[in-house]
Amino acid sequence: MSEHRSTVARVISVIAATIIALACGTNYAYSAWGPQFAERMKLSSTQSNLIGTSGNLGMYIGGIPVGMLVDRRGPRPGVLVGGGLLMVGYFSMHRAYEGGPGSIALPWLCFFAFMTGIGGASAFSGSIKTSALNWPDHRGTATAFPLSAFGLGAFFFTAISSFAFPDNTSTFLLVLSIGCLGMCYLSVAFLRVVPSAQAYTSVSANEERRSSNPLRVTRSKEGRHSADHPGQEPGTQTRDPHASTALLHKSGGTSEDAETLEASGVDPDETSSLISSSPGDVPYEGSTKTATHHGSPHIDVRGFALLKHTEFYQLWLLLGILTGIGLMTIK
């Protein structure tokens, strides 16, 4: 694939991810149809708030398992699962509204709202990952489009409702179910991770010895995966002990480290952080073994090791406070 065609495919993929994100943000539109739904179903204020809270819990609690699904199976399965859950959840709410009071018990209503939350988180994870992997050098710009669409999703659907069918909650819920399903399932055909078109260049032994900065071509994780495993969906995890050992030797690891890594079955490429070294980076002696294995001068800390660092709690508190204020304003 030429560089021009690769760029066009990446742009189309970002547009598809943005459309999917519009459907994922519909959970924040509950305030637009929640009061009418509670009045129709004869629900108290507490019961109505419980339904809305169930939707939020589905989005936030479901983020971890759906993130693991996207990492293992790729972005497309996450979007397909998310679109299906959104359709089932909103359509069930539509049927409950048509049936009137007592047609569906409150626990089931909470469960349907929970499904919409999980569906939004699942499809959104797939769209964000695709945008980030397709533009490794412009992740902030690429992910800004689906992030903005996620926040504007509720406004998008409520604006359509106010013009097309004002004060019609039943039709609005039906449009949410059909619209979310259609936007996710039609856009997923254009949502794919495009492999990098860069190629490795050979360097003679004499030039390598003379050069103080070893040359290396940095490719995205998806590009390396697609080149090594052409028959597998981009964005999925694979384990290749021989490739892991070769990567470790290239990064400066010892033979003992390679044997340990191969025996444990851990792929350093799949478990590496999003921070990648640029061409010409030289590892320094103060970096940890993990950073040396990845060929990056940045110290790589992940998992429960984060709990030992003060910066982790600072970022966690700052992110929680800022996002909490934003959600409070939206609700």
Side-chain angles (χ1 to χ4, degrees):
M1 182 181 293
S2 63
E3 185 64 28
H4 175 70
R5 293 182 61 186
S6 298
T7 302
V8 172
R10 291 188 182 97
V11 172
I12 294 176
S13 185
V14 169
I15 295 175
T18 304
I19 296 175
I20 292 172
L22 276 174
C24 299
T26 53
N27 188 49
Y28 297 122
Y30 178 72
S31 58
W33 58 272
Q36 296 88 337
F37 186 83
E39 182 179 0
R40 166 71 173 170
M41 301 296 293
K42 305 300 181 182
L43 301 175
S44 64
S45 177
T46 302
Q47 293 173 327
S48 177
N49 290 333
L50 187 60
I51 295 174
T53 303
S54 299
N56 290 333
L57 287 177
M59 177 169 291
Y60 303 134
I61 296 178
I64 296 176
V66 299
M68 297 172 64
L69 170 67
V70 170
D71 285 339
R72 287 185 175 273
R73 301 298 182 184
R76 286 182 175 179
V79 174
L80 294 175
V81 171
L85 290 176
L86 286 169
M87 188 276 294
V88 172
Y90 285 125
F91 187 76
S92 300
M93 290 290 188
H94 163 73
R95 296 297 300 171
Y97 188 89
E98 289 291 322
S103 58
I104 297 181
L106 179 63
W108 282 108
L109 296 176
C110 295
F111 176 72
F112 296 142
F114 188 81
M115 290 178 63
T116 62
I118 296 181
S122 180
F124 185 61
S125 297
S127 65
I128 284 291
K129 180 173 181 178
T130 304
S131 300
L133 291 178
N134 276 336
W135 301 93
D137 298 328
H138 306 282
R139 285 194 180 101
T141 304
T143 57
F145 289 97
L147 280 171
S148 300
F150 180 79
L152 294 173
F155 171 77
F156 174 76
F157 278 94
T158 53
I160 294 177
S161 173
S162 61
F163 285 104
F165 34 85
D167 301 328
N168 194 336
T169 305
S170 177
T171 305
F172 180 53
L173 290 172
L174 182 62
V175 168
L176 282 176
S177 63
I178 298 176
C180 291
L181 179 69
M183 293 169 73
C184 290
Y185 277 42
L186 293 178
S187 300
V188 76
F190 306 96
L191 189 75
R192 63 192 185 99
V193 177
V194 181
S196 175
Q198 297 177 356
Y200 287 98
T201 57
S202 60
V203 180
S204 63
N206 294 333
E207 291 182 7
E208 187 174 358
R209 283 194 295 267
R210 287 197 302 265
S211 177
S212 59
N213 294 338
L215 296 177
R216 56 189 297 272
V217 178
T218 302
R219 297 175 59 191
S220 67
K221 182 165 61 177
E222 292 302 323
R224 290 195 300 270
H225 171 82
S226 179
D228 296 335
H229 305 275
Q232 193 166 356
E233 172 71 16
T236 58
Q237 293 181 352
T238 60
R239 299 187 181 275
D240 189 350
H242 302 290
S244 304
T245 306
L247 176 63
L248 183 61
H249 284 303
K250 288 181 181 179
S251 304
T254 63
S255 59
E256 295 179 358
D257 296 331
E259 293 176 359
T260 304
L261 183 63
E262 184 173 352
S264 61
V266 176
D267 189 347
D269 181 50
E270 293 295 341
T271 58
S272 60
S273 64
L274 289 177
I275 302 176
S276 61
S277 61
S278 59
D281 285 342
V282 180
Y284 57 87
E285 295 180 357
S287 62
T288 61
K289 267 191 174 184
T290 305
T292 303
H293 288 171
H294 297 154
S296 171
H298 304 284
I299 297 178
D300 187 12
V301 181
R302 66 168 71 90
F304 291 104
L306 289 169
L307 302 178
K308 301 178 182 179
H309 294 264
T310 307
E311 292 81 358
F312 166 75
Y313 296 99
Q314 293 174 347
L315 292 173
W316 180 60
L317 288 175
L318 180 63
L319 183 63
I321 292 173
L322 294 179
T323 54
I325 294 175
L327 289 175
M328 180 182 65
T329 304
I330 292 175
K331 292 297 183 180

